Amino acid sequence: MALYEHVFLARQDLAQAQVDALAETATKIIEENNGKVVKTETWGLRSLAYKIAKNRKAHYVLLDIDAPAGVVAELERQTAINEDVIRYMTVKVDTHEQGPSVMMRKGERDGRRGRGDREGGREGGREGGREDRPRRDADSE
């Protein structure tokens, strides 16, 4: 069987329980068609780069799938019908990423970076960095 990553974006006005129900529905579709969901990650409510169907934010969900190609076709057909899903994408991959995905690790990294600057990190600006030089604006040239 082939390996896939399926990401879908759910409307911003849905409760987390409804988003989890959407992920469970997708899992049922996959398992009924002899596939297997290896991992499910909910990335939370995140801002979109541009408005999609009057939504400025969306709930992001990732499913790592091990299934035949026909399962993906049925999953995408069902997802396209669902009014709560505003975008989706399925990508065939060679291997599934072990552990948390990059999106999950990004949150951990941002938390450490913010904490380090307050707890005895650098004080003031950079020493010997660009902040010592006068700033040039594009309008002044």
Side-chain angles (χ1 to χ4, degrees):
M1 290 196 276
L3 303 176
Y4 299 93
E5 288 182 356
H6 178 76
V7 178
F8 67 87
L9 282 61
R11 289 189 340 223
Q12 65 186 1
D13 58 342
L14 296 179
Q16 187 60 46
Q18 293 171 303
V19 175
D20 294 340
L22 285 172
E24 186 61 34
T25 302
T27 301
K28 280 183 190 175
I29 293 168
I30 294 162
E31 290 175 350
E32 288 173 356
N33 292 298
N34 301 323
K36 184 173 81 169
V37 175
V38 179
K39 177 174 65 173
T40 302
E41 283 186 359
T42 303
W43 295 341
L45 187 65
R46 304 179 58 86
S47 295
L48 298 170
Y50 53 90
K51 273 184 166 180
I52 301 173
K54 299 182 181 179
N55 290 285
R56 293 186 184 275
K57 295 184 175 193
H59 294 274
Y60 285 64
V61 179
L62 166 74
L63 301 173
D64 283 349
I65 303 168
D66 185 4
V71 175
V72 173
E74 177 62 17
L75 175 63
E76 288 186 342
R77 186 184 77 77
Q78 294 282 343
T79 304
I81 293 171
N82 195 328
E83 294 176 354
D84 292 333
V85 177
I86 56 176
R87 286 287 193 275
Y88 65 90
M89 181 174 67
T90 307
V91 179
K92 186 174 183 178
V93 294
D94 295 328
T95 59
H96 287 300
E97 189 173 357
Q98 299 300 316
S101 68
V102 173
M103 292 298 288
M104 298 301 279
R105 290 192 308 255
K106 180 181 180 296
E108 295 168 8
R109 184 183 68 231
D110 290 346
R112 283 195 310 260
R113 185 181 325 153
R115 184 181 65 239
D117 289 344
R118 286 189 304 268
E119 295 177 358
R122 295 183 304 228
E123 294 184 22
R126 288 186 225 160
E127 295 153 18
R130 292 184 309 203
E131 294 174 359
D132 297 337
R133 289 183 255 149
R135 183 173 170 198
R136 291 176 36 184
D137 292 325
D139 296 335
S140 64
E141 292 179 9

